């Protein structure tokens, strides 16, 4: 009879780009520590396995219709995935566990939003560790949703928007991480399950670092009776990236011709959708600022439009080369470029971390959920950017760009973010906080009693 030690991990990412990328980065980090990696993924939004030859991929059929798989109603999509993935995921995981020819499995690591995976893990007696791809500060607010409802902050009224949430300074009611939906109860249920099943897990991994979110991490350690591992920023250790959009490398050659720290990089992520009127104000604000800009206009960014056909006639010609527009950009490369002076962002967590790691100050225009909390922290807690709020017109946009890129205020913001960049770089050094957290995570995984199969 032979017993074999399990160093195989099964990872299950949520199939949205902002969630797949950190999970693949985490997979690379754990692979570098000697674990073999198996990825279970939906056929919806699946990454290209040929880019990750060192991982084993298994695809499950979640059978979403074309309407159901639309990211326009993100809440409905997330709720459906938690229903439709249950049976195929459980079947796939059971098959993997019973394969005696493969190395035994130590644990499952799944996205926090895939809350159903906790019950599946319990059924199969397999430890589950949660990856939360957002920040710790916003997760604290999610975990307080029942309290915020009880206090009358949620669901919020238009008249309350500017009022402070006194228990979560400096947040205002409008910063609470919700989605505009006709079914707020569905959102509360999804968030409640995400939090409660995270508390029931065997550990919690964060793509953040101690020096950035020290107080939030301390509260989480106190309130969640599970080990907490802040081991970010992941991309500093492993810059894996999966995108269904083709990156336009032409923007790097254009950036090479610009002056140092002169260009405003504008990108609102892979999901955001804006109205045409807002899009036009952005266009005129950029043009009137007289600052060079690189603008990512993703197909479908403007509701009901293909690409840039709604830009005013002659807009691009009038810029005389001062602006460059692409459908998608290699963001890590762009933010690290000497010509980039600021980043106008939707304040997604990955973009926020990437900007901090390159010392690039931000203009924040959050769209929904945790982006709103991130933006408030960027502008008022860490003070490494400015938030566009209380009106959205070309004059305000122009003024905000100049405040950050030309005036003294921008210099102070830049100095603060350069200090944070230094701290982010140190956290993966030998005695850095993320390195130590990663060592603890590896020991924690190795402490699980692996699924050991006896072979004759």
């Amino acid at each position: 009879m032979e017993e074999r030690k399990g160093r195989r991990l099964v990872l299950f990412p949520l199939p949205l780009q902002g969630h797949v990328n950190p999970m693949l980065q985490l997979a690379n980090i754990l692979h570098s520590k000697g674990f073999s990696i198996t990825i279970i993924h939906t056929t919806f939004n699946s990454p290209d396995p040929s880019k990750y030859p060192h991982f084993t991929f298994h695809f499950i059929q979640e059978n979403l219709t074309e309407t159901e798989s639309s990211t326009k109603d993100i809440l409905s999509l997330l709720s459906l995935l938690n229903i439709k993935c249950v049976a195929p995921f459980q079947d796939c995981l059971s098959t993997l566990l019973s394969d005696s020819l493969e190395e035994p499995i130590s644990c499952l690591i799944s996205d926090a939003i895939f809350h159903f995976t906790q019950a599946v893990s319990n059924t199969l007696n397999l430890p589950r560790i949660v990856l939360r791809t957002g920040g710790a500060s916003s997760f604290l607010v999610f975990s307080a949703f029942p309290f915020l409802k009880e206090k009358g902050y949620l669901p919020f009224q238009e008249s309350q928007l500017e009022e402070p949430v006194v228990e979560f300074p400096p947040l205002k009611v409008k910063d609470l991480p919700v989605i505009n939906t006709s079914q707020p109860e569905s959102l509360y249920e999804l968030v409640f399950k995400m939090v409660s099943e995270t508390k029931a897990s065997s550990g919690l991994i964060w793509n953040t670092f101690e020096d950035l979110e020290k107080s939030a991490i301390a509260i989480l350690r106190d309130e969640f009776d599970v080990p907490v591992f802040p081991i970010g920023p992941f991309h500093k250790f492993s810059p894996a990236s999966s995108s269904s959009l083709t990156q336009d490398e032409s923007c790097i050659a254009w950036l090479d011709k610009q002056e140092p720290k002169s260009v405003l990089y504008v990108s609102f992520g892979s999901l955001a959708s804006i109205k045409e009127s807002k899009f036009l104000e952005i266009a005129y604000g950029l043009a009137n600022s007289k600052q060079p800009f690189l603008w990512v206009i993703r197909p479908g960014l403007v509701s009901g439009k293909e690409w840039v056909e709604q830009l005013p006639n002659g807009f691009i010609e009038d810029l005389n080369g001062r602006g460059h527009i692409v459908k998608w950009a290699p963001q890590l490369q762009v933010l690290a470029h000497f010509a980039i002076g600021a980043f106008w962002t939707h304040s997604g967590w990955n973009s926020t971390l990437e900007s901090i790691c390159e010392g690039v100050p931000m203009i924040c225009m959050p769209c929904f959920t945790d982006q709103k909390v991130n933006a408030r922290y960027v502008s008022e807690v860490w003070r490494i950017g400015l938030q566009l709020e209380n009106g959205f017109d070309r004059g305000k946009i122009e003024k905000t760009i100049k405040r950050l890129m030309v005036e003294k205020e921008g210099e102070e913001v830049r100095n603060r973010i350069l200090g944070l960049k230094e701290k982010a770089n140190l956290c993966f050094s030998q005695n850095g906080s993320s390195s130590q957290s990663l060592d603890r995570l590896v020991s924690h995984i190795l402490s699980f009693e692996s699924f050991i199969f006896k072979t004759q």
Side-chain angles (χ1 to χ4, degrees), residues 158-202:
E158 286 295 317
S159 59
Q160 287 178 297
L161 294 181
E162 294 298 327
E163 288 177 15
V165 181
V166 291
E167 295 83 359
F168 285 95
L171 298 188
K172 298 177 181 180
V173 170
K174 67 180 179 183
D175 302 324
L176 292 174
V178 296
I179 298 175
N180 286 337
T181 174
S182 56
Q183 301 169 299
E185 288 306 323
S186 298
L187 173 66
Y188 305 148
E189 185 187 359
L190 181 72
V191 168
F192 176 75
K193 286 180 177 171
M194 172 180 81
V195 173
S196 61
E197 298 300 334
T198 296
K199 286 180 174 177
S201 74
S202 300

Side-chain angles (χ1 to χ4, degrees), residues 3 37 48-49 77 90 211 220 251 287 301 336 362:
E3 290 195 355
I37 303 292
D48 178 358
L77 175 62
Q90 182 157 345
D211 276 325
L220 282 162
C251 59
L301 170 69
M362 287 166 264

Side-chain angles (χ1 to χ4, degrees), residues 428-454:
F428 272 120
S429 62
Q430 197 174 353
N431 294 314
S433 61
S434 293
S435 287
Q436 291 180 338
S437 237
L438 180 55
D439 290 344
R440 286 192 302 106
L441 173 63
V442 170
S443 301
H444 183 57
I445 293 171
L446 293 176
S447 75
F448 296 140
E449 193 176 327
S450 298
F451 270 74
I452 295 169
F453 298 97
K454 295 181 178 174

Side-chain angles (χ1 to χ4, degrees), residues 278-311:
K278 200 170 189 178
F279 176 81
L280 291 172
E281 291 305 309
I282 293 170
Y284 283 116
L286 287 169
N288 297 346
S289 76
K290 301 289 187 276
Q291 290 292 133
F293 61 87
L294 167 61
W295 189 5
V296 175
I297 303 178
R298 194 187 78 247
L301 170 69
V302 184
S303 318
K305 301 291 176 184
E306 281 297 311
W307 192 40
V308 295
E309 66 273 18
Q310 68 278 27
L311 281 173

